[in-house]
Amino acid sequence: GITQDQASFRQQIEPLVDSAQVRYIGPVDPQARNQLLGGAAALLHPIRFAEPFGLSVAEAMLCGTPVIACPLGSMRELILDKETGFMVDDVRQAAEATGRLGTLSRLRCHQWAAAQFSQEKMISDYLTVYENILGGAFSNRVKAWK
């Protein structure tokens, strides 16, 4: 995918590229992304900051791919620990979690993500927020539109 920290990439990743275990593909179109994510054993998401929303995490789970991530930012809301992925505190725990991927259901990953991130869910959540802010007047207008 996109390399946000060029210095770290050059120092830590680039020397491993084209080895037997590491290939760098770079950014891809949505169809190729879905194919890559859907065929992956897991998405490793070792972000060490409080990310407000992890789109790649949602995309992976929609493809049925579990996620291994640090419990920072939105990760606790996006991932069901030991159900759609694993929350880990360090690289050692992440490596250990890869050995437990077989305990997770790829179907469950997809179902969870579809229930949480669908267009219908988003619309319903927005309507709930608007209802809470505006009260009954908003609810009556929505009914009138239908």
Side-chain angles (χ1 to χ4, degrees):
I2 298 169
T3 303
Q4 295 178 353
D5 184 343
Q6 291 294 326
S8 291
F9 179 82
R10 278 193 300 279
Q11 292 171 359
Q12 298 174 8
I13 305 299
E14 208 168 63
L16 301 172
V17 173
D18 295 327
S19 70
Q21 296 180 320
V22 179
R23 273 186 309 151
Y24 178 68
I25 297 169
V28 296
D29 63 45
Q31 183 178 359
R33 177 205 58 221
N34 293 346
Q35 194 171 19
L36 287 166
L37 283 173
L43 173 69
L44 296 175
H45 192 73
I47 302 300
R48 300 297 304 171
F49 63 90
E51 185 173 14
F53 184 82
L55 182 59
S56 62
V57 171
E59 290 170 335
M61 289 189 296
L62 282 164
C63 291
T65 301
V67 179
I68 299 172
C70 299
L72 301 171
S74 63
M75 294 305 113
R76 286 186 183 103
E77 296 174 50
L78 299 175
I79 303 164
L80 298 175
D81 191 33
K82 299 177 185 75
E83 205 172 324
T84 63
F86 296 106
M87 294 295 183
V88 299
D89 293 318
D90 54 40
V91 173
R92 181 188 54 76
Q93 288 181 0
E96 289 172 358
T98 63
R100 298 191 315 270
L101 289 169
T103 65
L104 304 178
S105 164
R106 294 179 75 91
L107 178 60
R108 176 67 175 133
C109 291
H110 169 75
Q111 290 171 334
W112 162 256
Q116 297 304 308
F117 311 118
S118 70
Q119 181 179 8
E120 293 77 17
K121 171 88 164 85
M122 182 186 74
I123 290 168
S124 174
D125 288 352
Y126 274 121
L127 290 175
T128 299
V129 168
Y130 295 150
E131 176 70 24
N132 289 336
I133 293 170
L134 302 172
F138 179 74
S139 180
N140 291 335
R141 284 192 173 193
V142 169
K143 289 176 187 170
W145 291 335
K146 292 181 180 180

